[in-house]
Amino acid sequence: MLPETSTGRIDKKERSALDVAIDKTASRKRFKSNEEIYGAKEPAVYFYKVVSGCVRSYTVLGDGRRLIAAFHLPGEVFGLEPTERHLFSAEALSDAETLVINRNEVTRLAARENAVAGALWAHVANELHRTQNHLLLLNKGASERVVSFLLEMDDRIQLSDENGLPMTRQDIADYLALSSETISRVLKKLESASAIALRTTRHIVLRDRAVLEQMVT
Amino acid sequence: MLPETSTGRIDKKERSALDVAIDKTASRKRFKSNEEIYGAKEPAVYFYKVVSGCVRSYTVLGDGRRLIAAFHLPGEVFGLEPTERHLFSAEALSDAETLVINRNEVTRLAARENAVAGALWAHVANELHRTQNHLLLLNKGASERVVSFLLEMDDRIQLSDENGLPMTRQDIADYLALSSETISRVLKKLESASAIALRTTRHIVLRDRAVLEQMVT
DNA sequence: CGGAGTTTTGATCGAGCTCAACGTGGGTGG
DNA sequence: CCACCCACGTTGAGCTCGATCAAAACTCCG
């Protein structure tokens, strides 16, 4: 028990234990661009694993602004909340293919198989870690937020000419709690400083990772 | 498994299961005002339960600003991270008495007793829920943050003439990511609107909860 | 090509920060 | 018991960063 992932990441062994559980019970489902996968406050009957495409988890604040809590890329599990109801809504960013898993089946399995229980624990721990990082992010300046985002995305997908961002400027803005105009301006500034290159709007290449990393402090 | 606390709160049964575990193994330790309990990145060998006084979990950002992640009041458990090392530092706000629990002992117990494992799960789930709320908080205006804080504190301790806040303005500021000056000004404004009364600096009374609750939206 | 959604760019505005000065109250030693 | 003291809190003035508003430019498809 208590899988002790010092990095906060799900490690290989646990991931495969959960994967096995998922493969046993999952069915496949496709979502079109901007299609809702589930809404906040709905009973969390299912959770999901991204096969292809990209998904956003978000909530709409009282004043109508949208806060994106996370982007979910292929291979990642989302919607597996420790509560009975979803806290966030989820939508496909682009056309997306997912595996749909019945939550109860997996939790029943977890009661018998320790490895699965460990994987679930690790997943929540990971989620907590992510959220804490997001919290720290919002206490930084605009440039630092954008740079953190770029570095994070470059870790998760390889940013290159062939491999662009799956999300719009507005999505980035809502993730970083900035306006889309500010995203534009910061990116421009980073390009002028030749820390990045903007091949097209979606294709951003990190030119000087060292400089970028030292900006986030 | 998966204790399903829809409120995100640890429910009675689970709390007592963890309490029993704590009572079996805990020793008592006192900390003086502002004394460090543990530092960020230290191995998380122990976790704690507040008996009396108040504790803050915080981190210091790159630019020297301090972000308080949580205040821990009597009865609450803190330092029980899902990672091998503490993510935050913890200090006593005031003179505080705590129970110190060896983490391994409890996790070993959890491997055998399902109720204890459930309590641990619930604790992390609760922590996640808290952090998510904190995240949403930082996307609101200054007044809304302060009001949210007051309502939260009134839920946790009864704010009254006899029962003041345990923390300074600066602590509140670092929790809400505002300056202490802004805290002062907002409190003043709320008093002028007779939504609250400032008996002394630490003794704040909520006069019109309805108005306050409708401010946070 | 054309048209709608997205991105960029510019100009202005404002919430909250910073810096500085002043007030206050709780604790300590005489 | 009082006076002093020093950390804490309040108040004011000006500034800054990023939001907002407006409009032009680009891009992706039909």
Side-chain angles (χ1 to χ4, degrees):
Chain A
M1 271 259 105
L2 290 189
E4 306 293 359
T5 58
S6 66
T7 60
R9 292 271 155 79
I10 296 172
D11 73 35
K12 295 272 157 41
K13 200 144 113 242
E14 286 151 359
R15 176 182 289 272
S16 62
L18 185 53
D19 276 344
V20 169
I22 286 173
D23 288 344
K24 275 184 192 159
T25 61
S27 62
R28 202 160 283 249
K29 187 161 182 187
R30 292 177 164 286
F31 295 93
K32 285 196 281 293
S33 187
N34 293 319
E35 189 178 346
E36 176 172 293
I37 299 174
Y38 54 78
K41 317 232 162 174
E42 283 180 13
V45 182
Y46 303 106
F47 66 93
Y48 302 82
K49 182 172 175 176
V50 182
V51 175
S52 67
C54 182
V55 171
R56 63 179 163 244
S57 287
Y58 70 95
T59 189
V60 177
L61 303 174
D63 59 2
R65 273 152 54 230
R66 182 182 65 167
L67 181 69
I68 294 179
F71 297 109
H72 307 288
L73 298 174
E76 296 178 355
V77 168
F78 69 95
L80 178 51
E81 331 256 354
T83 49
E84 273 179 352
R85 289 167 180 278
H86 290 298
L87 294 166
F88 297 103
S89 303
E91 283 176 358
L93 264 187
S94 52
D95 290 3
E97 194 178 0
T98 63
L99 296 175
V100 187
I101 303 101
N102 186 301
R103 192 170 171 252
N104 285 333
E105 287 189 45
V106 170
T107 55
R108 244 182 281 120
L109 184 60
R112 280 181 284 116
E113 290 204 38
N114 248 329
V116 175
L120 291 179
W121 172 276
H123 184 267
V124 179
N126 199 25
E127 208 78 345
L128 178 58
H129 200 249
R130 240 184 200 304
T131 308
Q132 283 167 336
N133 278 335
H134 205 168
L135 196 61
L136 297 185
L137 198 62
L138 297 192
N139 281 284
K140 298 182 189 158
S143 310
E144 288 159 300
R145 293 189 212 183
V146 173
V147 170
S148 295
F149 171 78
L150 290 175
L151 291 171
E152 182 198 333
M153 289 311 294
D154 190 48
D155 280 349
R156 293 170 66 188
I157 53 183
Q158 258 38 263
L159 291 182
S160 68
D161 297 345
E162 276 67 51
N163 211 348
L165 292 171
M167 68 288 286
T168 67
R169 295 284 188 270
Q170 191 57 54
D171 285 326
I172 301 172
D174 291 347
Y175 180 69
L176 299 178
L178 295 169
S179 67
S180 59
E181 292 94 326
T182 296
I183 307 293
S184 267
R185 283 188 255 266
V186 170
L187 289 175
K188 186 99 174 298
K189 190 162 57 85
L190 292 172
E191 189 179 36
S192 306
S194 57
I196 63 172
L198 299 167
R199 301 263 188 258
T200 77
T201 50
R202 296 291 186 92
H203 290 82
I204 299 177
V205 180
L206 307 194
R207 293 202 142 260
D208 194 342
R209 216 165 196 289
V211 166
L212 293 173
E213 265 159 2
Q214 164 257 307
M215 279 184 73
V216 298
T217 49
Chain B
M1 271 256 113
L2 290 188
E4 306 294 357
T5 57
S6 66
T7 60
R9 292 269 156 79
I10 296 172
D11 74 33
K12 294 273 158 40
K13 197 141 117 246
E14 285 151 359
R15 175 182 288 273
S16 63
L18 186 53
D19 276 342
V20 169
I22 286 174
D23 288 344
K24 274 184 190 157
T25 61
S27 63
R28 202 158 281 249
K29 186 159 184 189
R30 293 179 161 284
F31 295 93
K32 284 197 282 291
S33 187
N34 293 320
E35 188 178 347
E36 176 173 294
I37 298 174
Y38 56 78
K41 317 231 162 177
E42 285 179 12
V45 182
Y46 303 106
F47 67 92
Y48 301 83
K49 181 173 176 176
V50 182
V51 175
S52 68
C54 183
V55 172
R56 62 178 164 244
S57 286
Y58 69 95
T59 189
V60 176
L61 303 173
D63 59 2
R65 274 152 52 232
R66 181 182 65 165
L67 180 69
I68 294 180
F71 297 109
H72 308 288
L73 297 173
E76 296 178 354
V77 168
F78 68 95
L80 178 52
E81 332 256 351
T83 48
E84 274 180 351
R85 290 168 181 277
H86 289 298
L87 293 167
F88 297 103
S89 304
E91 284 176 357
L93 263 187
S94 51
D95 291 3
E97 193 178 0
T98 63
L99 296 175
V100 186
I101 303 101
N102 185 302
R103 193 170 171 255
N104 285 334
E105 286 189 46
V106 169
T107 54
R108 245 181 281 121
L109 185 59
R112 280 180 285 115
E113 292 205 36
N114 248 328
V116 175
L120 290 179
W121 172 276
H123 185 267
V124 179
N126 198 25
E127 206 80 345
L128 177 57
H129 200 248
R130 240 185 203 302
T131 308
Q132 284 166 336
N133 277 334
H134 204 168
L135 196 61
L136 298 185
L137 198 62
L138 297 192
N139 280 283
K140 298 183 188 157
S143 310
E144 287 158 302
R145 294 190 210 181
V146 173
V147 169
S148 295
F149 171 77
L150 290 175
L151 291 171
E152 183 197 333
M153 290 311 293
D154 190 47
D155 280 349
R156 294 170 66 188
I157 53 184
Q158 258 37 262
L159 290 181
S160 67
D161 298 346
E162 278 67 50
N163 213 348
L165 293 171
M167 68 287 286
T168 67
R169 294 286 188 269
Q170 191 58 55
D171 285 325
I172 301 172
D174 291 348
Y175 180 68
L176 299 177
L178 295 169
S179 68
S180 60
E181 291 95 326
T182 295
I183 306 293
S184 268
R185 284 189 256 264
V186 170
L187 288 176
K188 187 96 175 299
K189 189 162 58 83
L190 291 172
E191 189 179 35
S192 308
S194 57
I196 63 170
L198 300 166
R199 300 263 186 261
T200 76
T201 51
R202 297 292 185 95
H203 290 81
I204 298 177
V205 180
L206 306 194
R207 293 201 143 261
D208 195 342
R209 216 166 196 287
V211 167
L212 294 172
E213 265 158 4
Q214 164 259 305
M215 279 185 72
V216 298
T217 47

